[in-house]
Amino acid sequence: MLRRLFIRDFVIVDRLELEFDAGFSALTGETGAGKSILIDALSLALGERAEAGVVRTGAERAEVSAEFDLADGSPLAAWLQANDFEADGACLLRRVVDSSGRSRAYVNGAPATLGQLREAAEFLCDIHGQHAHHSLLRGEAQRELLDAHAGLTAAAREVAEKYRLWHKLRDACANAERDAAATLREREALEWQVKELQVLAFDPAQWQEDNQEHRRLSHAATLIEGSEAAVAQLEEDGNAIAPQLDQLLARLRGLAEYDADLAETVELLGNAQIQLQEGVHALRHYQRKLDLDPQRLAELEGRIAGVMAQARKQRVAVEELPELLATQQARLEELSLLVDVAALAEKAAAAEKDYLAAAKKLSKGRAKTAAELGRQVTEAMQQLAMAGGRFEIALTPLAEGAAYGLEGVEFLVTANAGQPPRPLAKVASGGELSRIGLAIQVIASQAGQTPTLIFDEVDVGIGGRVAEIVGRMLHDLGRSRQVLCVTHLPQVAACADRQWNIAKEERGGATYSRVTPLDRNARIDELARMLGGVKITETTRKHAAEMLGVE
């Protein structure tokens, strides 16, 4: 569960550090006080998109850190280990956003990608926003909610992938039948091009060696003449350097016997004598290797010309010939399959069979969960002032299937007994939609495994007795999970195990957000404010104390 939340320079928060406990906690405050800023900050730590606007005016960067408990052997611990993040009893998610909008993410102190941050968050926290119930009007959202509640999200993605593969092969088969003649012509032309490149057998390393040898053979006469002249000047001519150096060195050695200061010069010239002798030896060895070989030169020129001609023909650089061959071979394999329409049709049929098997399995899971979820939401509706109401999930078969499966998913509801269920978007009023949406969210949360649940003003549109029931539902949920709820309803806040007040204050001409944990008396005052508005009377305070069960 969430243990600590640290926020610095985020929107109107300069610095804030909060510690949380298990159970049900309520976050309350005046309208516009920034109650949702805490949720927004936590969402940032959990991998939500970052914008420069979240950085407090005048600050260089915003920072949010969220620390969660980590149980040994938990799926999150295994995920951390698999991704090379340290796991020592806690999971710390940290996000830093600078004033330009660039952000950095960290998991347990190590740099992480935004994707890794979001993956870790899936094990830790679910956030239900205040407008979540409006998304229930969309068929796609209804289908995704059902799949998520049934644990079928991964299975649905697999079905979508298999559907795309099937349709890709099916379309390829249709195109192959239509374009068989053109495909055959392209294949024949490509086979000839591939054969030419294979015969050429171009190798980049060999190409470099051939060019180097060609340059040497092309200038063999010049190299022989030049090396012979060099040897003569060094050792063989009357004025050769080597004999003169020998004579000079012998004389200096004699002089060095009279003056030791010449010893260093003698040593340097002695080294030069050795280097010169080695140079002459190397030149003689080089001469022995030089040879005028017109036949080999002609062979190299022919090969180089062939490579250059092929590169010009294919309109690529010489160095790109191997890549071109690989590309043409891959395309040739595709064309070979396209020409073989029967084989392509067989693959398409196999892909269709694979898709249908996965889709039928998905349908079975959806049908089972749809009935159970419909029953649970119907029971919850009775508690939420919708007696006689009924909620159902219709699974409508699709003739040819779709990327999301073999059926459409539609939420049906009736608010009154004796009336047939109709699509949710057509019959639910705003208040009814809020209650139904809240029931679905609470039930879905009960079925999930996420340890921390956050509800951000999901009780909009309800009040009175229904609000008290919602508060009790969240309190019951808090017995097994950590529940945080931003609410404007005193009935909901009164059911919380603890309560925080969020308010704005001005300091130095700037506006800041302040969060205060409330003791019993402070909770009574806050509930009285929520009940009575601006003027708080003693009657209102008594009512608030009664709601808290305080005498």
Side-chain angles (χ1 to χ4, degrees):
M1 69 176 184
L2 178 63
R3 278 298 183 188
R4 293 178 183 83
L5 182 64
F6 172 78
I7 306 172
R8 184 172 63 189
D9 293 330
F10 181 84
V11 192
I12 59 173
V13 176
D14 55 349
R15 183 181 177 90
L16 183 65
E17 186 169 2
L18 303 174
E19 294 190 3
F20 297 89
D21 291 313
F24 174 28
S25 300
L27 307 174
T28 62
E30 295 278 4
T31 300
K35 295 188 293 297
S36 295
I37 287 180
L38 293 183
I39 309 303
D40 294 340
L42 180 59
S43 298
L44 189 69
L46 296 173
E48 284 297 313
R49 181 180 176 184
E51 297 180 353
V54 302
V55 181
R56 187 174 62 84
T57 302
E60 294 182 358
R61 65 184 63 86
E63 179 182 348
V64 180
S65 298
E67 181 183 339
F68 294 83
D69 284 337
L70 179 64
D72 292 337
S74 66
L76 176 59
W79 181 89
L80 289 171
Q81 184 176 7
N83 286 271
D84 297 324
F85 293 117
E86 292 186 5
D88 187 18
C91 179
L92 179 65
L93 305 184
R94 179 170 171 253
R95 189 86 173 276
V96 179
V97 183
D98 62 29
S99 56
S100 67
R102 293 191 299 269
S103 73
R104 299 186 302 278
Y106 303 88
V107 175
N108 282 354
T113 66
L114 205 55
Q116 288 174 321
L117 208 62
R118 290 169 180 160
E119 287 179 19
E122 291 180 1
F123 297 98
L124 296 168
C125 185
D126 277 341
I127 298 179
H128 302 273
Q130 58 181 303
H131 301 298
H133 53 274
H134 290 296
S135 68
L136 295 177
L137 301 178
R138 296 186 293 108
E140 180 182 1
Q142 295 175 2
R143 184 179 65 250
E144 290 175 352
L145 189 149
L146 174 63
D147 288 343
H149 186 68
L152 297 172
T153 300
R157 282 198 297 265
E158 181 184 1
V159 166
E161 291 171 1
K162 292 180 182 298
Y163 179 85
R164 285 191 289 269
L165 176 60
W166 166 37
H167 274 248
K168 179 181 177 180
L169 291 170
R170 189 186 68 174
D171 293 344
C173 186
N175 293 336
E177 292 177 348
R178 185 184 66 247
D179 304 329
T183 301
L184 184 60
R185 287 193 299 272
E186 183 184 355
R187 179 189 176 189
E188 290 175 348
L190 199 56
E191 282 178 339
W192 180 257
Q193 295 173 16
V194 168
K195 184 177 181 180
E196 284 185 332
L197 289 174
Q198 288 175 333
V199 170
L200 186 65
F202 177 79
D203 178 68
Q206 186 63 46
W207 172 251
Q208 296 295 331
E209 293 179 9
D210 288 348
N211 275 279
Q212 185 175 352
E213 185 180 1
H214 178 264
R215 283 193 298 272
R216 186 174 66 249
L217 290 175
S218 299
H219 300 85
T222 302
L223 292 171
I224 291 172
E225 180 183 353
S227 60
E228 288 177 348
V231 170
Q233 287 180 334
L234 289 171
E235 194 173 54
E236 296 175 352
D237 287 351
N239 294 321
I241 297 173
Q244 292 186 53
L245 180 59
D246 292 343
Q247 293 174 9
L248 176 62
L249 193 55
R251 185 176 181 183
L252 286 174
R253 283 186 178 125
L255 294 174
E257 294 180 2
Y258 305 120
D259 188 350
D261 288 346
L262 286 172
E264 183 179 356
T265 302
V266 170
E267 182 181 357
L268 290 172
L269 291 175
N271 291 335
Q273 183 187 42
I274 294 171
Q275 294 292 326
L276 190 147
Q277 290 171 350
E278 290 182 354
V280 171
H281 177 74
L283 273 172
R284 291 189 184 281
H285 180 70
Y286 176 73
Q287 282 180 308
R288 288 193 292 272
K289 291 197 307 179
L290 285 174
D291 187 19
L292 293 173
D293 188 349
Q295 183 177 352
R296 175 58 178 164
L297 179 60
E299 179 184 335
L300 287 172
E301 287 179 340
R303 174 161 179 77
I304 291 172
V307 171
M308 297 294 292
Q310 191 62 233
R312 285 193 300 271
K313 181 178 180 179
Q314 300 290 348
R315 297 179 181 178
V316 296
V318 168
E319 294 76 11
E320 296 174 354
L321 286 173
E323 183 181 352
L324 175 65
L325 176 59
T327 301
Q328 290 183 342
Q329 286 175 326
R331 175 58 179 166
L332 190 58
E333 290 180 6
E334 292 180 7
L335 292 175
S336 298
L337 182 60
L338 291 176
V339 170
D340 191 349
V341 177
L344 192 59
E346 185 177 341
K347 284 195 172 187
E352 179 185 13
K353 183 178 179 180
D354 196 24
Y355 160 75
L356 289 174
K360 288 177 181 177
K361 185 177 180 180
L362 177 63
S363 298
K364 185 176 180 180
R366 282 173 173 169
K368 179 180 178 181
T369 303
E372 181 63 19
L373 184 58
R375 181 186 63 77
Q376 292 175 333
V377 174
T378 297
E379 290 178 358
M381 288 170 65
Q382 314 310 307
Q383 302 177 46
L384 297 173
M386 299 181 72
R390 190 165 81 254
F391 178 84
E392 296 179 2
I393 300 178
L395 303 178
T396 307
L398 302 175
E400 297 184 1
Y404 50 79
L406 299 176
E407 59 279 316
V409 176
E410 187 172 36
F411 289 178
L412 306 178
V413 66
T414 176
N416 303 297
Q419 295 182 352
R422 296 178 58 200
L424 181 63
K426 296 182 178 180
V427 299
S429 65
E432 291 169 341
L433 182 60
S434 297
R435 282 175 275 169
I436 295 170
L438 181 60
I440 292 174
Q441 291 177 51
V442 172
I443 291 168
S445 297
Q446 290 172 339
Q449 300 298 319
T450 308
T452 298
L453 305 173
I454 298 176
F455 297 89
D456 185 11
E457 295 194 25
V458 296
D459 48 15
V460 172
I462 63 175
R465 184 176 65 87
V466 175
E468 184 177 350
I469 294 171
V470 169
R472 291 175 183 172
M473 293 173 66
L474 294 177
H475 183 270
D476 291 343
L477 192 58
R479 293 175 178 173
S480 58
R481 311 286 182 82
Q482 181 187 42
V483 177
L484 305 178
C485 180
V486 175
T487 181
H488 66 287
L489 296 178
Q491 297 93 332
V492 172
C495 294
D497 298 305
R498 64 197 59 83
Q499 187 172 346
W500 306 67
N501 173 257
I502 303 173
K504 288 181 181 178
E505 63 180 14
E506 289 191 9
R507 299 197 307 268
T511 301
Y512 297 92
S513 183
R514 173 176 50 81
V515 181
T516 306
L518 304 180
D519 59 17
R520 185 181 66 175
N521 291 332
R523 285 191 72 181
I524 292 174
D525 290 340
E526 174 66 2
L527 290 175
R529 179 198 63 77
M530 297 171 73
L531 284 166
V534 177
K535 186 177 181 180
I536 300 176
T537 65
E538 188 60 32
T539 302
T540 308
R541 291 190 84 261
K542 288 182 179 179
H543 187 192
E546 183 181 351
M547 293 178 68
L548 279 177
V550 177
E551 296 183 359

